[in-house]
Amino acid sequence: MLVKAITGSKKYWAWLVFLLLIIGSGFSCYLWQLNKGLTITGLSRDVSWGLYISQFTFLVGVAASAVMVVLPYYLHNVKVFGRITVLGEFLAVAALIMCLLFVIVDVGKPMRILNMIFYPTPRSMFFWDMIALNGYLLLNIIAGWHALEAEYKDVPPPKWTNILVYISIPWAVSIHTVTAFLYAGLPGRHYWLTAIMAARFLASAFASGPALLILLCYIIRRFSRFDPGREAIQKLAAIVTYATIVSAFFIGLEFFTAFYSQVPAHGMYTLKYLFVGLEGHGRLVPFMWIFVLLLIAALVILLNPSTRTKDGLLQLACAAVFIAMWIEKGIGLVIGGFIPNPFERVVEYVPTLPEIMIALGVWAVGLLVLTLLYKIAVSVKEKAA
């Protein structure tokens, strides 16, 4: 099946070359960072997690969302998801690879990661996050590949792969729960110190991940002979709708708790900074209002069945949900949590150009992995059809 990844049209190869160029540019900037250290980034004493960790946090949710197609298919026998289950698993693989790469580029010296292996600390959330992410990556690679190989050979998948799938379902929830605990377990950061942080993470994950999968299904339908199925897409759209509503509700809870209690430290300052600015600082304000507008527009389309069933409008809604959740969790949540600092001063964070190029390079690696895996999967499914 691997041969199918290196056969394709001129457009396919042009896309691969484009991704390789971005990867090369990002890697050259990473070599510079490896030589000079994190001083080339916009990180500081006051904002120690920036673009890298914000992308990591968002992509963990995309990876966890694969359970939204695996669980209905294997536990509830929703047959229409059978055509796209492997697509969800391979999306999780690509997202997890990006997550691990963002951790590597964030720690400065990558050899420091070995400390978690040689000197494990079970009391640390970082240790359990490493176990959760690498275990989930391995589960999806093995289960997804063997299921696709069985389809290629036109035989039933090995029964032991079902065991791995059943294990991966709670494991998917655990990877984003543990990531949420990394934030909620820091008492010095009041914006993150909330009991619903894990619930917020899962709700946004189950909105953004399936939204991206719907967009990928439309791309696959356009550029191949394989049709993921309209019914499967519409069921995913329903999941996106409910998850987006729940995610918006959880964000509203944070506003109520912060402003009704009138306790400035517990979220008031951070939310003011994000949405109206604080002490003359407000670089994230335009992004957060774009998030609000995109969320409203997406819900208007998704809540109305007559608009949700139209392909063009559904694609717009899914793109709006994905971008909105990326802004809220990939920028606002992480960076906003550092404002104000423990001395109640506002120190803003702006990523540098090398930092952005490294992040784009990691995204390009993920897209390259996803493209190759989807090329194999779609080729096998076209043959099976």
Side-chain angles (χ1 to χ4, degrees):
M1 294 191 299
L2 291 173
V3 177
K4 298 182 182 297
I6 57 174
T7 56
S9 64
K10 291 182 179 179
K11 290 182 178 179
Y12 173 72
W13 281 104
W15 170 245
L16 295 184
V17 170
F18 172 71
L19 292 177
L20 289 172
L21 289 174
I22 297 178
I23 292 170
S25 300
F27 184 69
S28 63
C29 289
Y30 175 66
L31 292 178
W32 183 23
Q33 176 182 293
L34 203 60
N35 182 41
K36 297 294 184 179
L38 292 173
T39 55
I40 71 167
T41 70
L43 300 173
S44 64
R45 178 199 64 181
D46 298 284
V47 182
S48 53
W49 288 348
L51 185 62
Y52 300 150
I53 294 302
S54 67
Q55 300 309 291
F56 159 80
T57 304
F58 175 73
L59 287 166
V60 171
V62 174
S65 68
V67 75
M68 286 292 96
V69 292
V70 172
L71 189 151
Y73 179 67
Y74 283 95
L75 292 188
H76 299 286
N77 201 30
V78 181
K79 294 296 185 183
V80 293
F81 280 151
R83 299 172 65 84
I84 62 173
T85 300
V86 71
L87 301 182
E89 291 173 330
F90 283 170
L91 175 59
V93 169
L96 286 165
I97 289 174
M98 286 189 280
C99 289
L100 297 174
L101 287 176
F102 273 119
V103 171
I104 290 173
V105 299
D106 182 74
V107 296
K109 296 294 183 181
M111 294 298 290
R112 293 172 180 166
I113 296 177
L114 296 177
N115 289 332
M116 289 193 292
I117 299 173
F118 295 143
Y119 309 102
T121 308
R123 292 178 297 175
S124 169
M125 283 294 107
F126 288 100
F127 170 79
W128 291 110
D129 207 31
M130 177 191 69
I131 299 295
L133 292 175
N134 285 282
Y136 190 59
L137 174 61
L138 190 62
L139 286 170
N140 277 280
I141 290 175
I142 297 174
W145 187 262
H146 277 83
L148 189 65
E149 189 176 37
E151 187 174 351
Y152 178 70
K153 296 178 180 179
D154 197 21
V155 297
K159 292 183 178 180
W160 58 266
T161 59
N162 288 341
I163 299 175
L164 296 183
V165 170
Y166 295 141
I167 294 174
S168 73
I169 292 172
W171 208 301
V173 177
S174 76
I175 66 170
H176 218 22
T177 301
V178 173
T179 305
F181 287 168
L182 290 174
Y183 293 91
L186 297 175
R189 301 293 175 182
H190 299 291
Y191 184 55
W192 299 334
L193 191 61
T194 170
I196 66 168
M197 183 60 74
R200 279 187 62 184
F201 272 34
L202 291 172
S204 63
F206 297 157
S208 58
L212 177 58
L213 187 56
I214 289 173
L215 294 174
L216 291 171
C217 286
Y218 278 112
I219 293 173
I220 289 171
R221 178 192 286 181
R222 177 179 175 84
F223 291 100
S224 73
R225 299 189 306 275
F226 171 64
D227 186 1
R230 182 175 180 80
E231 187 178 356
I233 290 175
Q234 285 301 312
K235 285 186 179 295
L236 277 178
I239 292 173
V240 173
T241 303
Y242 293 122
T244 304
I245 293 171
V246 174
S247 185
F249 174 68
F250 285 155
I251 295 170
L253 294 180
E254 297 290 3
F255 272 91
F256 173 82
T257 303
F259 288 96
Y260 190 80
S261 65
Q262 288 293 301
V263 178
H266 288 283
M268 276 186 64
Y269 286 156
T270 300
L271 290 171
K272 283 183 178 179
Y273 168 74
L274 290 175
F275 287 91
V276 296
L278 185 65
E279 299 178 1
H281 302 278
R283 284 176 175 163
L284 293 184
V285 172
F287 291 97
M288 299 311 295
W289 282 104
I290 290 173
F291 152 71
V292 172
L293 294 175
L294 288 175
L295 197 65
I296 293 173
L299 286 174
V300 168
I301 296 173
L302 293 171
L303 286 172
N304 188 343
S306 62
T307 54
R308 190 173 66 235
T309 53
K310 294 180 180 179
D311 290 342
L313 290 176
L314 178 58
Q315 292 173 47
L316 285 174
C318 289
V321 168
F322 184 79
I323 297 171
M325 293 304 167
W326 177 81
I327 292 174
E328 192 276 326
K329 190 161 69 174
I331 297 179
L333 180 91
V334 178
I335 298 172
F338 288 98
I339 295 171
N341 66 11
F343 300 103
E344 297 187 1
R345 293 179 56 241
V346 177
V347 179
E348 291 194 292
Y349 160 80
V350 179
T352 61
L353 181 59
E355 198 175 356
I356 293 172
M357 291 303 300
I358 292 171
L360 288 176
V362 173
W363 272 94
V365 170
L367 289 174
L368 179 65
V369 172
L370 186 68
T371 300
L372 296 175
L373 290 176
Y374 272 24
K375 181 65 168 61
I376 297 170
V378 170
S379 298
V380 169
K381 289 185 176 294
E382 285 177 339
K383 175 180 176 294

